[in-house]
Amino acid sequence: MSSLFPKVAKIKTGMSSSDLSTGMRSIIDKSRQLIEIGYSNPTLLMDAEIIKLKVQAFINAMPRVKPHYAVKANPDAYLLKVLERHGVSFEVASNQEIKLLDRLNLLNGGVHFSNPVKSEQAISNAINKGIKWFTVDSKEELLKIFRILPQAKLSLRIDVPNEGSDWPLTGKFGAQMGDVKEIIRIASRIKARLQGVSFHVGSQCRNPKSWKVAIDKAKYVMRKLDAAGLRVRLLNIGGGFPVTMTIPVPEIGVIGDIINREISPLDKNLEIIAEPGRFLVADAGCLISQVIGTTSRDNVRWAFLDTGVFSGLLESSQGLSYKMFSNGEGRLVPWTIAGPTCDAVDVLPVKQLLPKSLEPGDFVYILNAGAYTSVYASNFNGFPSPLVKFL
């Protein structure tokens, strides 16, 4: 299989921004091959070899931590099979994701249902399909699952600081320390199998020390569980492992060194997992889009693409900026990028440096787009979602 990006001979700590920059011409060449076949609408071009390298990088950085891919990042069927082939298990957040894994024969007892709030139907279906681990972050969710299956294995998601995260997750998720004591008390009283602790430091976390703070907090809760007679069997360190977009991020080896030191004293029989999503698949994808119109307003250049906020670039509207480049030539100047829909919010907040000569028919290539692009897309206003193709 040909590669979308240049290979890194000895990848141990992930791909650096310079590695990706040197691959821009390669991406254009591969994308032109696709265009010659016939471009019809935005296409997310994926490279399975890069996914393999990212899995290896993660495992090399944290040998004791088992990766459970967050299916929500990109649920493409072929992608999921590639991950499973390289030893990755899965984390699901919905009934539909469970059904998808089941349909692909990828569902097994190692899959974790980590959404802290689930419908009774979804819980029952997960149990029927053999899922054993469920995440809770409230006494209400604990009691709900216990009522359906008293033997279910439960992991308590705790609130941890999300400092340095581009996309904080605190507030909506995670039991506050003031509530943890009550949840543990109830679990001990009814003899629920509350035997795990989990957390999430926030998406695209650029502060490696956040994992140290979170693991220290998890250790405290694990001691409380043990003291209550609830034997801890699982530590789930969640996701948040970053990739280089337009802002430098710590390499996975730097994060791994911190995590490895913190988990080193823990019981060797304790299962430790993580839920990487973006880290495993983002670098493997290039979103190909076409310019459909240009104009200038108050001396500001505008480029309208056939993809936008509603068709793959939702995260851009929330402050996550992608690196873009074009097959056009000439001096680079700032452009405001807008999508094709008739909605005023379909405009990216960060200007992009693209050729001054940009015109309709030119192509724009969006890097690091393998995660949270096609899955976020809709057909709003009649514009198609990106196709997903593998080299």
Side-chain angles (χ1 to χ4, degrees):
M1 179 177 289
S2 59
S3 176
L4 179 61
F5 298 108
K7 296 298 181 293
V8 180
K10 295 182 179 180
I11 183 165
K12 292 185 178 181
T13 59
M15 301 180 71
S16 68
S17 57
S18 60
D19 292 327
L20 293 176
S21 297
T22 56
M24 287 185 181
R25 182 53 56 185
S26 176
I27 299 170
I28 292 176
D29 292 341
K30 295 299 181 182
S31 299
R32 281 176 174 167
Q33 294 176 18
L34 173 69
I35 293 166
E36 289 173 1
I37 294 173
Y39 179 91
S40 58
N41 62 275
T43 302
L44 179 60
L45 196 60
M46 300 286 296
D47 187 341
E49 184 66 16
I50 295 299
I51 295 174
K52 173 185 174 182
L53 294 174
K54 295 305 293 279
V55 171
Q56 291 174 345
F58 190 91
I59 293 173
N60 288 344
M62 291 165 281
R64 191 179 170 186
V65 180
K66 170 74 173 179
H68 286 240
Y69 173 69
V71 175
K72 60 182 174 288
N74 187 334
D76 179 79
Y78 183 76
L79 180 151
L80 296 176
K81 290 180 180 179
V82 169
L83 288 165
E84 192 271 342
R85 190 161 63 242
H86 295 299
V88 176
S89 189
F90 301 98
E91 175 269 322
V92 295
S94 70
N95 211 8
Q96 290 303 315
E97 291 179 353
I98 294 171
K99 290 179 179 180
L100 172 62
L101 292 181
D102 190 32
R103 187 167 68 249
L104 298 174
N105 294 317
L106 299 177
L107 192 62
N108 55 57
V111 172
H112 285 238
F113 199 166
S114 294
N115 192 333
V117 182
K118 303 162 283 294
S119 70
E120 293 190 6
Q121 179 187 25
I123 294 168
S124 296
N125 182 57
I127 291 169
N128 291 335
K129 294 299 182 180
I131 292 179
K132 296 179 172 60
W133 277 102
F134 298 82
T135 298
V136 302
D137 67 358
S138 68
K139 62 182 179 183
E140 290 82 3
E141 190 72 7
L142 183 149
L143 292 170
K144 182 198 300 181
I145 298 175
F146 184 81
R147 185 175 65 253
I148 298 172
L149 182 68
Q151 295 79 30
K153 296 180 180 179
L154 306 176
S155 178
L156 177 58
R157 179 165 172 172
I158 59 174
D159 177 73
V160 298
N162 279 195
E163 294 178 8
S165 168
D166 288 347
W167 204 298
L169 300 173
T170 56
K172 182 178 181 181
F173 305 110
Q176 301 288 332
M177 293 309 294
D179 298 320
V180 166
K181 182 178 179 180
E182 176 67 4
I183 294 171
I184 292 176
R185 186 190 67 79
I186 292 174
S188 179
R189 176 174 59 82
I190 65 177
K191 300 189 185 308
R193 298 179 69 183
L194 186 62
Q195 298 177 322
V197 177
S198 64
F199 62 80
H200 200 299
V201 296
S203 185
Q204 278 287 93
C205 184
R206 292 179 283 108
N207 179 12
K209 293 182 180 179
S210 288
W211 277 275
K212 179 186 185 324
V213 173
I215 293 174
D216 283 345
K217 199 168 184 179
K219 288 176 180 177
Y220 172 82
V221 175
M222 286 191 287
R223 289 193 293 270
K224 293 295 183 183
L225 286 166
D226 285 333
L230 300 165
R231 183 181 176 188
V232 179
R233 299 178 181 273
L234 173 76
L235 172 62
N236 180 352
I237 64 173
F241 305 96
V243 299
T244 299
M245 306 287 281
T246 57
I247 301 174
V249 300
E251 293 193 0
I252 191 64
V254 174
I255 297 171
D257 286 344
I258 290 176
I259 291 174
N260 292 335
R261 284 197 299 270
E262 294 303 311
I263 66 177
S264 177
L266 297 176
D267 190 323
K268 299 304 179 184
N269 293 318
L270 179 71
E271 181 182 4
I272 304 177
I273 71 169
E275 299 174 356
R278 192 190 310 274
F279 179 82
L280 296 183
V281 301
D283 292 343
C286 177
L287 181 58
I288 307 170
S289 181
Q290 190 171 37
V291 179
I292 61 174
T294 63
T295 190
S296 180
R297 294 174 179 159
D298 293 329
N299 295 318
V300 176
R301 293 177 176 83
W302 283 66
F304 295 82
L305 308 183
D306 58 0
T307 188
V309 170
F310 297 101
S311 48
L313 300 179
L314 177 65
E315 287 195 322
S316 287
S317 69
Q318 303 299 311
L320 193 68
S321 183
Y322 293 92
K323 176 70 176 179
M324 299 183 186
F325 60 98
S326 174
N327 61 337
E329 297 182 356
R331 182 167 60 92
L332 300 181
V333 298
W335 287 83
T336 295
I337 305 297
T341 68
C342 294
D343 195 308
V345 304
D346 197 5
V347 179
L348 306 191
V350 178
K351 289 182 173 60
Q352 291 286 335
L353 290 176
L354 293 170
K356 182 179 180 180
S357 61
L358 200 67
E359 61 183 13
D362 287 344
F363 289 91
V364 171
Y365 306 92
I366 305 168
L367 288 175
N368 311 104
Y372 299 109
T373 49
S374 57
V375 70
Y376 271 150
S378 70
N379 292 321
F380 172 62
N381 229 170
F383 292 98
S385 300
L387 301 172
V388 180
K389 294 185 177 181
F390 272 81
L391 288 171

